[in-house]
Amino acid sequence: MKLPAVLLGVDIVAADRLATAARRGGETFDRVMGGGGPTFSVKESFIKAVGGRPPGFSWHDFQETGERPAGWAGRLLDEAAAELIASTGLDLPGRAVFTVSGASEKAALVRLPPHAGRVTGAARWGHGSGLFVSLAIVYVRRKGTQ
């Protein structure tokens, strides 16, 4: 069985840079990002995966579902995370599935081959040594598959 195409994004950012952005953005940053630094880094990795911030972009284009990546997408994410862990020396214990919607979903569909299904994202992330590190994949989740 041929696996569908996947878009990949990585974000590595200094924690002090995020702290500065949070101070500058205040309540707006907290309201939009929710989880602060890790959330910002994860969403940045999704932005990189879909090819940037398309016209009409919103930070709400990527929302965590509470599910854990499973099936082929989970295995692919774990393999890619192992490479990132080896190169940064940081563990990536955070993991979740995300919806991809709005302008970011449209941008992803331009870069993914045509498939019937829902554009979905999965991410792993972690922090340490003054860094936030995240890895995201975007793919089409076909009905009845992981």
Side-chain angles (χ1 to χ4, degrees):
M1 179 178 159
K2 185 177 179 183
L3 293 179
V6 173
L7 305 174
L8 176 74
V10 174
D11 187 62
I12 301 174
V13 64
D16 59 349
R17 256 184 90 202
L18 288 178
T20 300
R23 278 193 305 277
R24 215 177 18 237
E27 288 181 35
T28 302
F29 184 88
D30 289 338
R31 188 172 55 252
V32 171
M33 288 303 146
T39 301
F40 182 85
S41 184
V42 169
K43 290 186 178 190
E44 278 291 323
S45 65
F46 277 117
I47 289 166
K48 291 170 182 175
V50 302
R53 292 184 181 105
F57 166 80
S58 166
W59 287 103
H60 299 291
D61 285 0
F62 310 104
Q63 295 296 318
E64 188 175 342
T65 67
E67 299 172 44
R68 293 182 55 90
W72 70 265
R75 288 188 302 275
L76 176 66
L77 186 63
D78 288 345
E79 288 174 20
E83 294 289 327
L84 191 55
I85 290 166
S87 65
T88 64
L90 298 176
D91 192 18
L92 303 178
R95 64 181 78 212
V97 172
F98 287 73
T99 61
V100 180
S101 61
S104 295
E105 179 181 29
K106 290 176 186 163
L109 286 171
V110 168
R111 300 181 66 214
L112 290 167
H115 291 290
R118 178 85 175 129
V119 176
T120 302
R124 298 246 339 234
W125 63 90
H127 57 87
S129 301
L131 298 172
F132 285 105
V133 178
S134 63
L135 166 70
I137 60 171
V138 174
Y139 57 97
V140 175
R141 183 179 189 172
R142 296 185 204 144
K143 286 187 176 184
T145 66
Q146 293 291 334

